[in-house]
Amino acid sequence: MADCLFCRVVAGAQPAARVLEEEHCVAFLDTRPLFPGHVLLVPRDHHVTLADLPRELVEPLFTTAQRLCRAVQAAQDAPGAFVAMNNVVSQSVPHLHVHVVPRRPKDGLRGFFWPRRKYTGSEEMEEVAAAIRGALRP
Amino acid sequence: MADCLFCRVVAGAQPAARVLEEEHCVAFLDTRPLFPGHVLLVPRDHHVTLADLPRELVEPLFTTAQRLCRAVQAAQDAPGAFVAMNNVVSQSVPHLHVHVVPRRPKDGLRGFFWPRRKYTGSEEMEEVAAAIRGALRP
């Protein structure tokens, strides 16, 4: 896809600070990181969301995400890692990308990061769970 | 692990609004959701982080995450999904859990969600990328 930023990175037509080149995926630094060492891992082929990723690419992509967790933590001397994908909403580039971000205690993300709500009770929870069960496909 | 909350959920010793039972993983509602329909997907076996997950469980876990994305979006009439793992830092329960959260435009998460920084320049970026490349193991 000529107009896709991450397809251009994969093809080498868009400069990027690459950290890894694999058969099925490429990883490079996010230019506007949450923290230095924030990496984006993308499949070479153009797939928009996690749900769109063909089954045969799931293991290659996420075993690479595992390696990247260890590497960004080691390189940044960070005890933790945040791994995330925005699908459609808040997805700035419509080419699946796994954020792998080194995390440290008190790095400032914790407070605002999970603005949790509460269900009104077990009845509402059971309703919502039943709707998801009903929507699940094999 | 008797003292692990999610091992107890897997074993049925801790109540949970379950949405899916698979050979290798279980999914249930987060009791303090970002939005209703926020699901946690956990491996049945006790593994703490994504990096700890044995290779043979990577495809089962993430193909299930794909199904859950579609299901929570359909059940909650949401066009997007946020998929995330906190590893060690901000990880409230030390048993790997994949958050699958339905997302809608203007649902209030966007603004604070990605407090991006900037690298000072391509030199700093290249330094950081080199450190990660050096830390990568096969």
Side-chain angles (χ1 to χ4, degrees):
Chain A
M1 301 246 316
D3 59 345
C4 170
L5 180 65
F6 291 163
C7 282
R8 290 205 306 272
V9 169
V10 168
Q14 169 78 27
R18 290 167 179 249
V19 301
L20 186 68
E21 304 261 1
E22 294 283 287
E23 185 186 352
H24 296 293
C25 49
V26 172
F28 50 91
L29 293 190
D30 194 311
T31 55
R32 297 202 50 216
L34 283 165
F35 300 109
H38 176 165
V39 161
L40 301 179
L41 170 65
V42 306
R44 287 187 184 271
D45 294 343
H46 185 81
H47 303 288
V48 177
T49 68
L50 175 59
D52 295 330
L53 193 69
R55 172 177 286 265
E56 65 272 18
L57 296 182
V58 169
E59 186 188 294
L61 190 73
F62 287 98
T63 54
T64 303
Q66 292 182 302
R67 289 175 60 202
L68 285 169
C69 282
R70 293 182 204 108
V72 302
Q73 290 182 223
Q76 297 292 313
D77 194 23
F82 174 60
V83 177
M85 290 145 270
N86 290 307
N87 296 280
V88 182
V89 176
S90 298
Q91 184 176 7
S92 53
V93 178
H95 181 136
L96 173 62
H97 46 290
V98 183
H99 298 267
V100 181
V101 184
R103 292 288 316 273
R104 290 189 181 83
K106 302 186 180 172
D107 59 17
L109 278 193
R110 189 177 175 79
F112 62 84
F113 208 53
W114 296 110
R116 304 289 195 144
R117 288 141 213 254
K118 286 193 176 183
Y119 288 103
T120 53
S122 59
E123 197 172 318
E124 188 195 2
M125 282 189 82
E126 195 35 59
E127 241 170 62
V128 170
I132 295 171
R133 285 194 299 268
L136 272 165
R137 297 198 186 94
Chain B
M1 301 245 314
D3 61 344
C4 170
L5 180 64
F6 291 164
C7 283
R8 289 205 307 274
V9 169
V10 168
Q14 168 78 26
R18 291 165 178 251
V19 300
L20 187 68
E21 304 261 359
E22 294 283 288
E23 184 185 352
H24 296 294
C25 51
V26 172
F28 49 91
L29 293 190
D30 195 311
T31 55
R32 297 200 51 214
L34 284 164
F35 300 109
H38 177 165
V39 162
L40 301 179
L41 170 65
V42 305
R44 287 186 184 271
D45 294 343
H46 185 82
H47 303 290
V48 177
T49 68
L50 175 60
D52 295 329
L53 192 69
R55 173 177 286 265
E56 66 270 19
L57 295 183
V58 169
E59 187 188 295
L61 191 73
F62 286 99
T63 53
T64 302
Q66 293 182 301
R67 289 174 61 203
L68 284 169
C69 283
R70 294 183 205 108
V72 302
Q73 290 182 222
Q76 297 292 313
D77 194 24
F82 175 61
V83 177
M85 288 145 273
N86 290 306
N87 297 279
V88 183
V89 177
S90 299
Q91 185 176 5
S92 53
V93 177
H95 180 134
L96 173 62
H97 47 289
V98 184
H99 297 268
V100 180
V101 184
R103 292 287 318 273
R104 290 190 182 83
K106 302 188 181 169
D107 59 16
L109 279 193
R110 189 177 175 79
F112 62 84
F113 208 53
W114 296 109
R116 305 287 195 144
R117 289 142 214 257
K118 285 191 177 184
Y119 289 103
T120 53
S122 59
E123 198 172 317
E124 188 195 1
M125 280 190 83
E126 194 36 58
E127 241 171 62
V128 170
I132 295 171
R133 284 195 298 268
L136 272 166
R137 295 196 188 99

